[in-house]
Amino acid sequence: MTMPAFELSPDEWTAVLLSLRVALVATLASLPFGIAVAWLLARGNFWGKTLLDGLVHLPLVLPPVVTGYLLLIAFGRKGAVGAFLAEQLGVVLAFRWTGAALASAVMAFPLMVRAIRLSIEAIDRRLEQAATTLGASRGAVFRSITLPLALPGIIAGMVLAFAKALGEFGATITFVSNIPGETQTLSAAIYTLTQVPGGDAAALRLVVLAIVISLAALVLSEWLARRAARRLHGV
Amino acid sequence: MLSVDVMKTVGDFAIQAKFDVPSGATVLFGPSGSGKTSIINMIAGLMTPDRGRILCRGRLIFDSGARIDLPPYHRAFGYVFQDGRLFPHMTVAKNLDYGRKHHRLPYDRAAHERIVDMLDIGHLTQRRPGTLSGGERQRVAIGRALLMNPQLLLLDEPLASLDAARKREILPYLIRLRDASGIPMIYVTHHVAEVRRIATVVVRLEAGRVLGVGAPETIAASTDDLEG
């Protein structure tokens, strides 16, 4: 292997950029839901809370291929939700990159919710009480106290979810298959390359890149979390 | 000015308190477990009485019979907590402005400067609560409660977490506040010295009941500090 071997081919670039896009969209689109569910689980006291908790954590324990198959049943073109989305909103998820984003978002959701929930549970509720005596309604307390104080956990949850979404394989390939340029993410591309003769060098390049991206995400999250913590307690 | 008649049972502890007090500084005085903090929290709206009525300056803020229960953010009572409870992620300036902003009051520069000067906190505005001393923190907490232009100022052992020197530092500010602001105060303590210096009326509490309401001299002479 010579140095130019590290230049990615256009197809490899496509897979890398697609993966980043899928993981980014999955993380950002699921964030509002992640915060809402984390808040409900941390603060709510309602019938069915245990059920919601179980449902959120299900993708963590189910075989990913099962999750992918369930998504295919529900969100496929003929699935209950999928047919509705396609007819009413013109949104098709099956065998599209958006479907890959949905699959990774579902798989990453438990990690995101757990991190955010822990940070909300750690907030001193007496600060929220103080805010209500100062005229802040429940919504205002949430925006001005709860959310900023939970920020380190929200960042941690986003990075965990991003990393998980980036590496998601089983549910994605089951739900949206492995179509180059549309649904072939980094992981699927590596898998495909290991199945063809002479694909080793390309697979290795993508593996190195996957490691670099993951490390960069970790470093970034560490830096963001420190910055947020400094802002919270800080000087 | 303030009329309280509340019942509340928490576990096997029952509070049954009824008192009427005029403007000025009312001290709720009693030993630990007498229900002082519960009563002030019911006035603030942070705790809901099982039954009763609370009337402040002609405004009904709680009435279990009529199903009236104003949420704390509509009561407009400033509350100074024992532990300050400044928001750690905001500067002192943002903390001070929080109540005004959320009550949607216009910014009143003169009032702001008067309160900041009285509490001597003008030099702290760009600092974070984490970097303040205990005394500074409590002064900012008092300022934060005052700047929302409260109908009533509630103070729950505002000096209890401070050492003797810091107590001597804060007490004059509170006395000046009582005399200059005209805002009625409800002040919780178990220290006779604070009762003597601050109170215009004392409500004596024990085991969730009111023992008596009277002038501060009636207890100050014969009583020692009560157990925290």
Side-chain angles (χ1 to χ4, degrees):
Chain A
M1 243 195 282
T2 51
M3 271 312 283
F6 220 91
E7 278 171 25
L8 298 179
S9 74
D11 286 351
E12 291 159 26
W13 266 119
T14 305
V16 171
L17 292 177
L18 179 71
S19 271
L20 289 173
R21 183 167 56 172
V22 164
L24 203 65
V25 168
T27 307
L28 293 179
S30 58
L31 184 63
F33 301 99
I35 292 174
V37 170
W39 186 85
L40 276 176
L41 291 176
R43 293 292 169 76
N45 192 6
F46 54 94
W47 188 90
K49 184 172 162 178
T50 316
L51 190 72
L52 178 66
D53 198 15
L55 214 61
V56 165
H57 282 92
L58 212 52
L60 212 55
V61 289
L62 277 182
V65 65
V66 171
T67 305
Y69 192 68
L70 290 173
L71 285 172
L72 192 57
I73 292 173
F75 290 92
R77 271 179 190 272
K78 290 179 180 146
V81 188
F84 173 81
L85 287 178
E87 282 163 24
Q88 302 299 319
L89 304 171
V91 176
V92 177
L93 293 169
F95 306 109
R96 300 281 171 84
W97 74 270
T98 45
L102 175 66
S104 355
V106 168
M107 294 300 289
F109 200 60
L111 298 173
M112 176 186 274
V113 168
R114 181 173 286 264
I116 300 174
R117 176 189 181 166
L118 286 175
S119 71
I120 291 178
E121 281 171 349
I123 292 173
D124 185 351
R125 298 197 65 176
R126 295 172 312 163
L127 292 174
E128 297 174 330
Q129 284 191 335
T132 67
T133 67
L134 288 161
S137 63
R138 286 180 68 162
V141 171
F142 181 76
R143 279 192 306 278
S144 63
I145 308 293
T146 318
L147 215 48
L149 288 177
L151 195 60
I154 292 172
I155 293 169
M158 284 177 73
V159 172
L160 276 173
F162 180 81
K164 173 74 184 171
L166 202 62
E168 215 296 310
F169 179 73
T172 308
I173 207 165
T174 311
F175 180 34
V176 293
S177 185
N178 183 4
I179 307 161
E182 184 66 43
T183 64
Q184 190 177 77
T185 58
L186 194 52
S187 307
I190 293 171
Y191 171 74
T192 306
L193 286 168
T194 60
Q195 302 299 303
V196 297
D200 291 354
L204 202 59
R205 281 197 294 273
L206 291 181
V207 164
V208 171
L209 208 62
I211 294 172
V212 170
I213 294 171
S214 305
L215 277 177
L218 278 180
V219 170
L220 180 71
S221 83
E222 188 66 21
W223 180 75
L224 284 172
R226 275 187 198 194
R227 236 177 70 129
R230 249 207 323 274
R231 275 181 53 109
L232 286 191
H233 306 293
V235 190
Chain B
M1 182 278 301
L2 178 71
S3 160
V4 174
D5 179 4
V6 290
M7 286 177 72
K8 173 84 181 173
T9 309
V10 185
D12 53 5
F13 180 60
I15 293 168
Q16 188 167 12
K18 186 172 189 310
F19 57 87
D20 275 272
V21 289
S23 288
T26 300
V27 168
L28 302 184
F29 179 72
S32 157
S34 58
K36 309 184 292 289
T37 297
S38 296
I39 290 170
I40 207 172
N41 279 338
M42 286 190 257
I43 297 170
L46 298 179
M47 184 187 259
T48 311
D50 297 336
R51 255 185 300 152
R53 234 166 95 92
I54 302 172
L55 197 79
C56 177
R57 300 175 108 174
R59 197 163 61 122
L60 196 55
I61 58 167
F62 181 85
D63 188 333
S64 55
R67 292 177 181 275
I68 291 170
D69 183 11
L70 276 190
Y73 49 90
H74 284 157
R75 293 192 183 192
F77 296 166
Y79 198 152
V80 178
F81 300 89
Q82 184 177 331
D83 48 357
R85 301 195 197 175
L86 298 181
F87 305 129
H89 57 300
M90 299 178 192
T91 58
V92 166
K94 287 250 169 71
N95 267 281
L96 288 173
D97 205 36
Y98 191 90
R100 182 199 63 80
K101 210 174 86 192
H102 288 275
H103 279 295
R104 298 203 168 87
L105 302 172
Y107 179 70
D108 181 345
R109 195 193 182 93
H112 189 97
E113 278 173 3
R114 196 180 68 240
I115 290 167
V116 165
D117 284 349
M118 183 189 75
L119 294 166
D120 196 16
I121 49 179
H123 59 296
L124 304 173
T125 49
Q126 291 318 307
R127 304 253 298 267
R128 299 258 182 189
T131 69
L132 302 180
S133 72
E136 289 169 337
R137 217 171 295 157
Q138 247 359 30
R139 264 150 53 202
V140 173
I142 294 167
R144 184 176 69 170
L146 284 176
L147 281 166
M148 62 179 259
N149 194 17
Q151 297 271 311
L152 178 68
L153 189 62
L154 308 170
L155 304 107
D156 184 14
E157 310 221 22
L159 308 183
S161 61
L162 305 175
D163 58 40
R166 292 284 94 73
K167 280 182 190 162
R168 277 197 299 276
E169 171 196 330
I170 306 279
L171 209 50
Y173 292 113
L174 293 174
I175 290 165
R176 219 183 305 167
L177 186 63
R178 177 196 65 194
D179 297 337
S181 72
I183 300 169
M185 291 161 63
I186 307 293
Y187 188 108
V188 163
T189 187
H190 58 268
H191 285 289
V192 174
E194 288 173 37
V195 177
R196 276 198 199 122
R197 306 252 339 244
I198 242 331
T200 47
V201 175
V202 181
V203 177
R204 281 182 301 140
L205 295 163
E206 201 175 291
R209 303 204 170 233
V210 177
L211 292 185
V213 181
E217 296 77 23
T218 55
I219 51 158
S222 58
T223 321
D224 292 325
D225 280 2
L226 302 167
E227 282 299 311

